[in-house]
Amino acid sequence: RDWSSDVCSSDLTKILTRKGKIATLASEVADCEAHIAKNDESMKEETGIRTKENGEYQAEKDYMETTLSALHHAIEVLSGAGTGGDKGLFLMKVASKVRSAILGAPQLSTLSESNMKVMKRFLEQPASFLQDTPEEEYYDKKAQAKASYSPQSATVTGILKDMYDTFAADLEKANGEESKFQKAFEDHIAVLEKSTSDLNREIVGKNTESAAFAQELSEAEATLAATMDQRSEEHTSELQSRIKSR
């Protein structure tokens, strides 16, 4: 057994080993890329869900803030604040805003039958809650502005205050839940982004390692080819020598 046989054996082992490692690294890179694609798909899907949820929250928040503003305005008016000018027309405008704001609100269904009747009357005939106080007498007694509303307005004010408190509590709860959902979303996205970053770094490392193995493979193949060429030349030379010696 000559040295060239040993070289060929060594080179073949190196070639097979390097090819195996390159194939393994290529498989690992493919797994990393598949995981990255999965992360990207998860982020896209979760972002879509969160965007939809946030849109629903914003719509609900706008509705509750509009309702709170209308209820607050109505409570102020019925409590006697800002009642200058045509009180009947002013009250009708306020009632219209309240009606638009609470239309279909679940809080209405919790009212007692008597309170529902009072509320219905206020929303449909707000001017009926004004006392028959002559306009000129009202302006002569500005300090008694509350007397311009009928006693039943106190019932409406109480109902509106209860609704205001309920809407305010619901808004606070919605704000808290939205903040919690947003934080959970951002935390999970951060985990996915870190995972993707780590995987990309791992891919770079594996590709670098694979490139080094590819270089060694190329060198081993070149060495093997040179050895095989040399053995072929030696074999040819040996045959020629035998032929001449005959």
Side-chain angles (χ1 to χ4, degrees):
R1 176 169 178 162
D2 59 19
W3 67 271
S4 61
S5 296
D6 292 335
V7 171
C8 286
S9 178
S10 174
D11 286 336
L12 282 171
T13 300
K14 183 179 288 188
I15 287 170
L16 292 174
T17 301
R18 296 302 180 266
K19 283 185 175 181
K21 289 184 176 181
I22 290 171
T24 298
L25 286 169
S27 177
E28 291 174 351
V29 167
D31 288 342
C32 289
E33 290 174 339
H35 199 161
I36 289 173
K38 186 177 179 181
N39 284 349
D40 289 343
E41 184 61 29
S42 293
M43 284 190 282
K44 180 180 178 181
E45 181 180 352
E46 291 181 30
T47 299
I49 293 173
R50 182 84 275 271
T51 300
K52 182 176 180 293
E53 289 175 343
N54 180 260
E56 292 172 350
Y57 157 74
Q58 290 294 340
E60 184 67 12
K61 178 173 175 285
D62 290 345
Y63 163 70
M64 287 192 282
E65 288 179 342
T66 298
T67 300
L68 285 169
S69 177
L71 290 171
H72 179 72
H73 197 187
I75 292 167
E76 280 193 331
V77 170
L78 289 170
S79 298
T83 55
D86 189 335
K87 297 183 295 300
L89 180 60
F90 191 61
L91 196 57
M92 287 175 67
K93 289 181 179 179
V94 171
S96 177
K97 288 184 178 180
V98 172
R99 182 168 60 250
S100 298
I102 67 174
L103 187 65
Q107 287 82 354
L108 284 176
S109 62
T110 63
L111 297 178
S112 65
E113 186 177 349
S114 59
N115 282 349
M116 179 62 84
K117 287 181 179 179
V118 174
M119 195 66 184
K120 188 172 184 293
R121 182 172 165 236
F122 169 71
L123 295 176
E124 294 178 353
Q125 298 175 305
S128 65
F129 284 78
L130 289 172
Q131 296 271 34
D132 287 333
T133 303
E135 194 75 11
E136 62 276 5
E137 183 179 341
Y138 168 79
Y139 282 111
D140 287 341
K141 300 178 181 180
K142 289 185 178 180
Q144 301 176 17
K146 290 184 180 180
S148 62
Y149 293 99
S150 68
Q152 229 178 5
S153 66
T155 302
V156 176
T157 302
I159 295 171
L160 294 178
K161 283 182 177 178
D162 287 343
M163 293 186 74
Y164 182 94
D165 291 342
T166 300
F167 271 101
D170 289 345
L171 178 58
E172 184 177 2
K173 180 182 177 183
N175 287 339
E177 289 180 343
E178 172 62 17
S179 178
K180 181 180 67 177
F181 292 151
Q182 183 63 25
K183 185 179 186 306
F185 166 74
E186 290 175 356
D187 288 346
H188 192 215
I189 291 298
V191 169
L192 292 174
E193 288 178 339
K194 183 180 184 305
S195 171
T196 295
S197 177
D198 291 343
L199 288 165
N200 277 321
R201 188 162 50 250
E202 190 174 343
I203 287 173
V204 170
K206 290 182 183 299
N207 283 335
T208 300
E209 190 177 359
S210 181
F213 284 139
Q215 178 63 32
E216 291 177 6
L217 173 62
S218 178
E219 292 172 356
E221 288 176 335
T223 300
L224 177 62
T227 301
M228 295 299 290
D229 287 343
Q230 183 176 353
R231 288 187 65 181
S232 177
E233 290 175 1
E234 290 174 351
H235 182 66
T236 301
S237 177
E238 184 179 347
L239 285 176
Q240 289 176 345
S241 296
R242 287 179 181 179
I243 293 171
K244 288 179 180 180
S245 65
R246 288 179 181 181

